[in-house]
Amino acid sequence: MHRSSATALTLAVLAVLATGCSDDGSDTDAAPGTPTSAAGAPTGEATPDPVTSTATATTTPTAGTAANTAQVCRAVDQLIIDGSRQIAADSADATREELTPEQLNGKLKGRLSRLADDVREQARKAKDARIKKLVNETATKIENGAAAKSPASWMGSEFVEIPPRLTRDCHV
């Protein structure tokens, strides 16, 4: 087969899992310079900011940020992680079952469509207009992947860009 397409897809999904998103349930919107545990999770302690020499709290939303922003961002991260794991499992199954590229793409289209719906549901929950827009844009990108001629190729080029963007723009 088509082991090379399934292998490439698996590698793309693994890159997503390794990039930016954290599935340890920790507070991922900690400020730079926040102490972290050995696992990399913020400890919740305040530390001096080297630029401003003031303490930075990790649990208080910044001014202008809706109270549920961190919750929505974490939920979207978890959806992306869970979806990536399911896609990786699908691609492993595709290799074992020797699915054709068309069959694999069919599975991916369905998986990505459901993921886009779930992400869009989180956008509806967001109270911060900027976060609502970001999450809706993410859902639209995932929908585009589901509609792509080759969702497997889209995964390797476009999907891998989603977690770093969410990490950069959602957790501020």
Side-chain angles (χ1 to χ4, degrees), residues 16 43 52 57 62-63 108 117 131 150 163 170:
V16 168
T43 62
T52 63
T62 59
L108 285 172
D117 291 343
I131 297 302
S150 174
C170 200

Side-chain angles (χ1 to χ4, degrees), residues 7 23 53 58 86 100 116-117 136 140-141 144 168:
T7 301
D23 69 341
S53 297
T58 62
Q86 293 167 342
T100 65
D117 291 343
N136 269 319
T140 299
K141 285 182 183 205
N144 292 341
R168 181 185 69 240

Side-chain angles (χ1 to χ4, degrees), residues 17-164:
L17 289 172
T19 308
C21 289
S22 171
D23 69 341
D24 64 3
S26 66
D27 185 2
T28 56
D29 55 356
T34 301
T36 57
S37 67
T43 62
E45 299 172 12
T47 57
D49 182 289
V51 176
T52 63
S53 297
T54 60
T56 309
T58 62
T59 57
T60 308
T62 59
T65 301
N68 77 338
T69 293
Q71 177 186 356
V72 168
C73 291
R74 278 193 300 270
V76 172
D77 282 350
Q78 194 60 51
L79 287 169
I80 299 294
I81 290 166
D82 292 346
S84 296
R85 287 181 177 150
Q86 293 167 342
I87 290 167
D90 288 348
S91 67
D93 290 345
T95 300
R96 275 192 303 280
E97 297 169 13
E98 296 185 16
L99 297 181
T100 65
E102 293 79 20
Q103 291 170 316
L104 177 59
N105 280 333
K107 280 185 139 187
L108 285 172
K109 286 175 184 275
R111 191 69 78 189
L112 290 170
S113 290
R114 288 186 297 278
L115 178 57
D117 291 343
D118 293 343
V119 169
R120 193 161 316 282
E121 178 63 30
Q122 290 303 314
R124 284 190 282 276
K125 294 177 183 178
K127 293 181 177 147
D128 182 306
R130 184 184 62 80
I131 297 302
K132 182 181 289 282
K133 180 180 180 212
L134 172 68
V135 176
N136 269 319
E137 288 172 352
T138 300
T140 299
K141 285 182 183 205
I142 296 169
E143 286 170 346
N144 292 341
K149 181 178 177 186
S150 174
S153 296
W154 177 86
M155 292 283 302
S157 62
E158 302 289 325
F159 190 69
V160 295
E161 295 175 6
I162 291 173

